Amino acid sequence: MKDVASQAGVGLKTVSRVVDGEPGVSLETEKRVQEAIDALGFRRNDSARVLRKGRTATVGLVLEDLADPFYGPLNRAVEEVARAHGALLINGSSAEDPDRERELALALCARRVDGLIVIPAGDDHRYLEPEIRAGVATVFVDRPAGRIDADVVLSDSFGGARNGVAHLIAGGHRRIGFIGDHPRIHTATERLRGYRAAMADAGLPVAGSWVSLGSTEPDRVAAATRSMLEGPEAVTAVFAGNNRVTVTVVRVLAGLERPVALVGFDDFELADLLRPGVTVVAQDPATLGRVATDRLFQRLAGAALPTSRIELPTRLIARGSGELPPAA
Amino acid sequence: MKDVASQAGVGLKTVSRVVDGEPGVSLETEKRVQEAIDALGFRRNDSARVLRKGRTATVGLVLEDLADPFYGPLNRAVEEVARAHGALLINGSSAEDPDRERELALALCARRVDGLIVIPAGDDHRYLEPEIRAGVATVFVDRPAGRIDADVVLSDSFGGARNGVAHLIAGGHRRIGFIGDHPRIHTATERLRGYRAAMADAGLPVAGSWVSLGSTEPDRVAAATRSMLEGPEAVTAVFAGNNRVTVTVVRVLAGLERPVALVGFDDFELADLLRPGVTVVAQDPATLGRVATDRLFQRLAGAALPTSRIELPTRLIARGSGELPPAA
């Protein structure tokens, strides 16, 4: 920066103002400084500035799966709030692996992010305690943190699933299957809990063959779907635990002769254009992202708030698949 | 780190090995060091290490739109290659704004990323020249860099669009519409060029009302679709310039009485389950991401390669919508 100041014939402070986009510099001067910057190939080194000031105005977002369309709107909402606060958003994926989540979160903290938003893949977040004590504001989204006390913003998975299954029961179904994510995923077990509650509320037993949790890979889900559709206890309806499961179940059902009712947790693009339209229990990923990031910036602004759990309601959207009556 | 070494009763080098996960430390010693780290709340500051070594083992990815499902597989492929090379991936979005793209790319460089993969929103990348000269390997994806010489990996937009439109012409269509992205987006103009080439190859004139480029926002695209479907020159088929346009056109056509043929550029989830299934010119975003990142790491490994343009072919997938004959 000294070379730039010298070349432009201005003081260091002036160069600093131009580089940081601060006011108080005439257009003429700004132009001269910018030309000097270009001529010298000056590169701003935020790493050195970090050591001087301690703040990099950055938020880190740890997602679960970069290719899951559910996270798109969430990611974009986080970025928009961060940007409104003048912060940059950098994100990465845990690919649903707790070790990778830890590695990524710690690497982001090592780059001195101001705050961290985490969609947890694991269930033990004590590794983040030193960072949190050192001032990295942290908010968890979609599932709570494990073994530590921290803000969490999530949807009402239990209640939403219960409503979705109750909807099928109200339509006359008594044999209903549940296909969900890995049992170590909090949202999967909460939605299973909701399914069981709805069945119990209606006095309906749950056969062991009607519940299948595990990988959301299409092969696994398709096999589970076909399996619960055969035999003497074959189901007449399926509740799919998230959008990845729903999309595979839709494919399997499309290939069958008899109609099987379907309600899926999470809305997804084109769900209304399929025939039948897919009935879903919809979350609002953009609002999840926005509320979590607002919370993060409240903490960064110094608000001494107790940790909170913010639970957003879901909405049932009936489009046809969930209203098919039980096959004779 | 000196405090940790002192507490654990080992040398600084040993602490460094444990922190970096390097071999040559007994389990017993590693445990002692880890306990000292936990007790002291030691936080690794990559910013200081950056100044000492100059390398942060990180790749920056500048995407266009975090909520576009097309980028999911690309993003994940880049991350997998980066990870295989021991590098972290941090990404952000330009939200299709050239100024934001520049801001984000420079911010990532200021954090000393080793390499940068950019999906350009703008058409002037001279702002990156100082960074590239200083050693930040840069590869462009999906569209070429503007005003500078750099590697680019992209799909054959021109040829793919030409094939898609030729497919409609082969099915008997003579009045075909084209709806694409902003004209400042390279892929939009390349695909329009392909459309015009196919029409010219068949000796077919192109009416002005049949071509509409602009925002991919649903309202704009829906209005453009409806507009070209009315009047004396109404089209009998539409070529949609990318997945966002296709999805909106599908919705508009679903509400019509008469059949209108459709071919879209880019495949998308559930395209085959719609009725009719959507005929597409498919890219391979995962391969785009993988090839670009492989190229990046070749450069980072020191290979003195001339800049190259790698163009991947597209595939036409006929599912029904593109084979509808012209309405009488």
Side-chain angles (χ1 to χ4, degrees):
Chain A
M1 270 175 52
K2 283 189 292 188
D3 296 327
V4 170
S6 174
Q7 175 124 339
V10 299
L12 262 182
K13 183 70 186 161
T14 302
V15 175
S16 187
R17 283 204 186 97
V18 172
V19 166
D20 290 330
E22 285 166 23
V25 181
S26 72
L27 281 178
E28 153 77 29
T29 302
E30 190 185 337
K31 189 167 178 299
R32 230 162 60 220
V33 172
Q34 197 58 53
E35 282 164 357
I37 286 173
D38 293 345
L40 292 171
F42 171 73
R43 299 176 69 215
R44 190 179 76 202
N45 185 344
D46 269 5
S47 305
R49 194 164 67 141
V50 164
L51 293 182
R52 282 201 307 277
K53 284 192 189 174
R55 271 285 160 95
T56 58
T58 312
V59 172
L61 169 62
V62 179
L63 290 168
E64 238 216 340
D65 175 2
L66 293 169
D68 184 342
F70 175 78
Y71 292 115
L74 190 153
N75 202 341
R76 190 159 58 180
V78 173
E79 202 227 7
E80 283 169 3
V81 174
R83 184 167 173 74
H85 286 268
L88 187 74
L89 175 70
I90 56 181
N91 64 47
S93 165
S94 65
E96 303 185 326
D97 178 340
D99 290 333
R100 211 151 148 177
E101 176 214 296
R102 172 184 173 133
E103 185 185 353
L104 180 63
L106 288 176
L108 291 172
C109 290
R111 280 168 182 74
R112 294 276 181 267
V113 291
D114 287 81
L116 207 53
I117 294 177
V118 182
I119 293 163
D123 55 12
D124 187 344
H125 295 95
R126 287 176 293 176
Y127 71 86
L128 277 172
E129 283 178 323
E131 308 297 338
I132 296 172
R133 275 198 302 270
V136 178
T138 305
V139 176
F140 289 79
V141 181
D142 200 41
R143 309 121 192 222
R147 317 289 296 270
I148 67 170
D149 186 31
D151 290 319
V152 60
V153 181
L154 37 58
S155 296
D156 177 19
S157 274
F158 167 75
R162 185 176 58 180
N163 290 350
V165 177
H167 181 75
L168 289 165
I169 293 169
H173 295 276
R174 303 183 69 77
R175 300 201 302 270
I176 303 171
F178 178 95
I179 305 178
D181 209 332
H182 273 291
R184 61 174 168 74
I185 304 282
H186 181 261
T187 44
T189 53
E190 281 296 284
R191 292 166 198 176
L192 173 63
R193 208 166 62 81
Y195 158 87
R196 289 194 185 284
M199 297 294 273
D201 288 347
L204 295 169
V206 173
S209 60
W210 294 351
V211 174
S212 177
L213 273 73
S215 158
T216 57
E217 283 297 302
D219 291 345
R220 199 285 300 183
V221 171
T225 310
R226 279 187 279 265
S227 170
M228 56 179 72
L229 287 172
E230 45 193 39
E233 289 179 329
V235 298
T236 59
V238 174
F239 186 87
N242 64 31
N243 62 332
R244 312 317 298 144
V245 174
T246 304
V247 163
T248 301
V249 174
V250 164
R251 289 187 178 287
V252 173
L253 298 188
L256 301 181
E257 290 296 327
R258 64 182 168 98
V260 176
L262 169 65
V263 176
F265 202 104
D266 285 334
D267 203 1
F268 56 98
E269 192 155 59
L270 299 174
D272 60 317
L273 282 188
L274 297 175
R275 292 290 166 262
V278 183
T279 298
V280 300
V281 174
Q283 301 191 58
D284 187 349
T287 300
L288 277 176
R290 184 175 52 72
V291 170
T293 317
D294 283 344
R295 184 73 178 171
L296 190 79
F297 280 97
Q298 277 183 320
R299 288 201 175 280
L300 288 175
L305 308 155
T307 57
S308 65
R309 173 193 171 95
I310 300 172
E311 195 176 79
L312 304 183
T314 57
R315 310 168 279 148
L316 183 87
I317 305 176
R319 296 194 178 109
S321 73
E323 296 74 62
L324 295 171
Chain B
M1 269 175 53
K2 283 189 294 186
D3 296 326
V4 170
S6 175
Q7 174 123 340
V10 300
L12 262 183
K13 183 70 186 159
T14 302
V15 175
S16 186
R17 283 205 186 95
V18 172
V19 167
D20 290 329
E22 285 166 25
V25 181
S26 71
L27 282 178
E28 153 76 30
T29 303
E30 189 185 337
K31 190 170 180 295
R32 233 163 58 219
V33 172
Q34 197 59 54
E35 282 165 357
I37 286 172
D38 293 345
L40 291 171
F42 172 71
R43 298 177 68 215
R44 189 179 75 202
N45 185 344
D46 269 6
S47 305
R49 195 164 66 147
V50 163
L51 293 181
R52 282 200 309 275
K53 283 192 193 174
R55 271 286 160 96
T56 59
T58 312
V59 172
L61 169 62
V62 179
L63 290 168
E64 238 217 338
D65 176 3
L66 293 168
D68 184 342
F70 174 78
Y71 292 116
L74 190 153
N75 202 341
R76 189 158 59 178
V78 172
E79 203 227 5
E80 282 169 3
V81 174
R83 185 168 173 71
H85 285 269
L88 186 76
L89 175 69
I90 56 180
N91 63 48
S93 164
S94 64
E96 303 184 323
D97 178 340
D99 290 334
R100 210 151 150 178
E101 175 214 295
R102 171 186 174 133
E103 185 185 353
L104 180 63
L106 289 176
L108 290 172
C109 289
R111 281 169 182 72
R112 292 276 182 268
V113 291
D114 287 80
L116 207 54
I117 295 178
V118 182
I119 293 164
D123 55 13
D124 187 345
H125 294 95
R126 287 175 294 176
Y127 71 86
L128 277 172
E129 283 179 321
E131 309 296 338
I132 295 171
R133 274 198 302 270
V136 179
T138 305
V139 176
F140 289 79
V141 180
D142 200 42
R143 309 125 191 217
R147 317 290 296 272
I148 67 171
D149 185 33
D151 290 319
V152 60
V153 181
L154 36 58
S155 296
D156 177 19
S157 275
F158 167 75
R162 186 176 56 183
N163 291 349
V165 176
H167 182 75
L168 289 166
I169 292 169
H173 295 276
R174 304 183 68 76
R175 300 200 303 272
I176 303 170
F178 179 95
I179 304 178
D181 209 331
H182 273 291
R184 62 174 167 74
I185 305 282
H186 182 261
T187 44
T189 54
E190 282 296 284
R191 293 166 197 175
L192 173 63
R193 208 165 61 82
Y195 158 86
R196 290 194 184 283
M199 297 294 275
D201 288 347
L204 295 168
V206 174
S209 60
W210 294 350
V211 174
S212 177
L213 272 74
S215 157
T216 57
E217 284 297 302
D219 292 344
R220 200 285 299 184
V221 171
T225 310
R226 279 188 278 266
S227 168
M228 55 179 73
L229 287 172
E230 45 192 41
E233 289 179 328
V235 300
T236 59
V238 174
F239 186 88
N242 65 32
N243 62 331
R244 312 318 297 147
V245 175
T246 305
V247 164
T248 301
V249 174
V250 163
R251 288 188 178 288
V252 173
L253 298 189
L256 300 181
E257 290 297 327
R258 62 182 168 97
V260 175
L262 169 66
V263 176
F265 201 105
D266 284 334
D267 203 1
F268 56 98
E269 193 155 60
L270 299 175
D272 59 317
L273 282 188
L274 297 176
R275 292 290 166 262
V278 183
T279 298
V280 299
V281 173
Q283 301 192 57
D284 187 349
T287 301
L288 278 176
R290 185 174 51 74
V291 169
T293 317
D294 283 345
R295 184 74 177 171
L296 190 80
F297 279 97
Q298 277 183 321
R299 287 200 175 282
L300 289 176
L305 308 155
T307 57
S308 65
R309 174 195 170 93
I310 300 172
E311 193 176 80
L312 304 183
T314 57
R315 312 167 278 149
L316 183 87
I317 306 176
R319 295 191 178 111
S321 72
E323 297 73 62
L324 295 171

